[in-house]
Amino acid sequence: MIDILTEEFNLIVNSVKQFAAEHIAPHVLEWDETQHFPTELFKKMGDLGLLGLIVPEQYGGSGLGYHEYVAAIKEIATVDPSIGLSYAAHCSLCTNHILMFGTEEQKQKYLPELTSGDAIGAWGLTEATTGSDAMRMSCTATRDNDYFILNGTKTWITHGKSAKYAVVIARTGDLLDSRGMTAFVIKRGTKGFTAGKKENKLGMRASETAEMCFDNCRIHESQILGKEGEGFIQAMKILDGGRISIAALSLGVANGAYKAALAYAKEREQFGKPIIDFQAISFKLVDMATQLEASQLLTDQAASLKNANKSVTKESAMAKYYASEACVRIAEDAVQIFGANGYTKDYPVEKFYRDSKLCTIGEGTSEIQKIVIGRSIISE
């Protein structure tokens, strides 16, 4: 086990657990049923310092590392994966993109609002016909002197309606040119920037997913993050860290399902004894616990490399791939242990099961992770 159990680390974990129990747990069912995205919760997370865990102190953050960040996502997602997903998207995609590639002026302008929770962030890469195949994106930004005219629609965007700031990658060059895309940061309210359809989803229902639409949206070149033409390359680096977030999210889903199943198996009696005493049930719990531990170790390894500013492409893909697939299996087994009760909304595992599937899809499907890992192995 990677040694991360410092006093500060444990303090953060306990603070997040207490926050989730007080501010999230009482509302989980209501938010899921109504698809309510609790924007007010982000201000509370900002006040606690959660939104800036990986952001340096000079920009309003806490200046901590990825182990603390992974732990925060896990503890939030153990209570409600939807909130864990929104938290991860805000921090590792929008905020982190500005942190990694923004100018000093841009960091000073945007990061304090994002870390305090005064603003919610979104990140726009995906389009209706270009998910994994991002280099074929049709959203374009055409130069007009010192400005760019942005046209197109981004889909499946976390916080696509509620975000104050959005990092958007658009094509500024030739199709299929990896240096033909540029990242911009755009403020809600900019003329031509509107929200489109909000998705009605199977799971993660309290995490808002919607379109961002751009119709002759005029943005100044000062809104470019990094250099013109670097957007796709930047996005791939952001996704390396983002996959650690989804691995952590998967840990939370799996942990919540496992804990619920373990407690239920100790309490539920059949044939005169707790069902955990039956080998069929205990073996399921053994498999769940083992997969959860393996997922944790892979995620910790990726977090350590990220903290050390080392290449994390293969390791983050491995963590995301294994942990996401494992959390689906763990959630499914949890429903099975609960039996008929597990199929109802009166018990928590039904929601964990629905929420789990997104982890194998978001920020690169399991199949894409295999491609990333395969390329890394071949080049070693």
Side-chain angles (χ1 to χ4, degrees):
M1 182 70 179
I2 298 169
D3 185 14
I4 54 176
L5 301 180
T6 63
E7 183 177 348
E8 182 180 47
F9 178 86
N10 288 327
L11 179 62
I12 291 168
V13 170
N14 291 332
S15 295
V16 178
K17 281 183 177 179
Q18 183 177 349
F19 178 87
E22 181 178 349
H23 297 288
I24 300 175
H27 309 289
V28 171
L29 184 59
E30 172 197 350
W31 290 346
D32 180 69
E33 291 281 357
T34 62
Q35 291 201 93
H36 172 67
F37 173 52
T39 55
E40 67 282 356
L41 187 69
F42 272 71
K43 180 58 181 172
K44 295 176 182 177
M45 287 195 282
D47 291 342
L48 190 61
L50 293 181
L51 299 184
L53 282 182
I54 57 176
V55 176
E57 293 180 9
Q58 65 261 40
Y59 307 122
S62 304
L64 298 174
Y66 264 72
H67 288 304
E68 291 84 0
Y69 177 50
V70 163
I73 296 173
K74 177 184 176 182
E75 294 304 329
I76 292 170
T78 294
V79 175
D80 189 344
S82 297
I83 305 304
L85 173 62
S86 277
Y87 172 64
H90 173 89
C91 295
S92 71
L93 298 180
C94 179
T95 301
N96 198 40
H97 199 136
I98 296 170
L99 175 64
M100 287 183 66
F101 299 107
T103 63
E104 183 62 26
E105 182 180 357
Q106 288 170 333
K107 293 175 187 178
Q108 293 287 355
K109 181 178 181 179
Y110 300 112
L111 292 180
E113 281 192 79
L114 290 165
T115 56
S116 68
D118 288 336
I120 294 173
W123 193 75
L125 177 66
T126 302
E127 299 178 6
T129 58
T130 57
S132 301
D133 190 12
M135 284 203 295
R136 294 183 189 271
M137 68 172 56
S138 59
C139 187
T140 59
T142 305
R143 181 175 278 280
D144 180 18
N145 295 318
D146 294 339
Y147 288 82
F148 286 83
I149 309 302
L150 183 61
N151 282 287
T153 300
K154 296 294 181 178
T155 59
W156 295 103
I157 307 303
T158 305
H159 313 147
K161 293 175 72 74
S162 297
K164 181 176 181 179
Y165 298 119
V167 173
V168 178
I169 296 91
R171 184 158 57 82
T172 51
D174 295 333
L175 193 69
L176 299 179
D177 181 1
S178 63
R179 293 190 176 274
M181 286 156 278
T182 302
F184 302 88
V185 58
I186 308 173
K187 184 178 180 180
R188 181 78 61 181
T190 301
K191 186 178 180 180
F193 174 17
T194 59
K197 174 189 175 185
K198 179 181 176 180
E199 302 296 341
N200 185 9
K201 300 177 296 182
L202 168 72
M204 300 289 189
R205 290 169 59 82
S207 178
E208 177 187 281
T209 306
E211 294 175 331
M212 294 193 300
C213 306
F214 304 95
D215 182 11
N216 290 322
C217 181
R218 189 175 177 86
I219 49 181
H220 194 262
E221 62 182 6
S222 63
Q223 294 168 252
I224 292 175
L225 291 169
K227 296 180 180 179
E228 184 178 344
E230 292 182 346
F232 179 79
I233 296 166
Q234 291 175 10
M236 294 304 101
K237 292 178 180 178
I238 292 299
L239 287 173
D240 278 349
R243 285 162 182 157
I244 299 175
S245 297
I246 301 300
L249 179 66
S250 302
L251 282 172
V253 176
N255 190 48
Y258 169 72
K259 288 171 66 176
L262 179 62
Y264 185 82
K266 290 178 178 179
E267 297 169 359
R268 172 73 166 170
E269 291 191 359
Q270 291 285 277
F271 305 102
K273 59 182 178 180
I275 62 173
I276 198 170
D277 289 343
F278 294 100
Q279 191 177 75
I281 301 300
S282 66
F283 276 14
K284 280 189 184 296
L285 290 163
V286 167
D287 287 340
M288 294 161 76
T290 303
Q291 292 175 81
L292 185 53
E293 186 73 10
S295 299
Q296 182 77 63
L297 290 168
L298 282 167
T299 307
D300 286 342
Q301 175 183 243
S304 291
L305 290 171
K306 184 68 174 174
N307 282 342
N309 293 317
K310 295 182 179 179
S311 174
V312 73
T313 300
K314 180 181 76 173
E315 289 77 10
S316 65
M318 283 182 167
K320 196 271 188 189
Y321 168 56
Y322 184 85
S324 65
E325 292 288 340
C327 88
V328 173
R329 293 191 295 267
I330 290 169
E332 181 180 22
D333 281 345
V335 171
Q336 196 70 18
I337 288 171
F338 271 77
N341 286 332
Y343 205 65
T344 72
K345 293 183 183 294
D346 295 331
Y347 293 86
V349 291
E350 173 268 345
K351 182 177 182 299
F352 284 122
Y353 189 32
R354 286 188 290 109
D355 288 346
S356 68
K357 190 57 190 171
L358 182 279
C359 297
T360 70
I361 299 170
E363 296 194 37
T365 62
S366 292
E367 291 74 20
I368 289 296
Q369 304 314 310
K370 289 183 179 182
I371 292 173
V372 172
I373 296 164
R375 287 173 179 169
S376 296
I377 292 172
I378 291 169
S379 64
E380 288 178 348

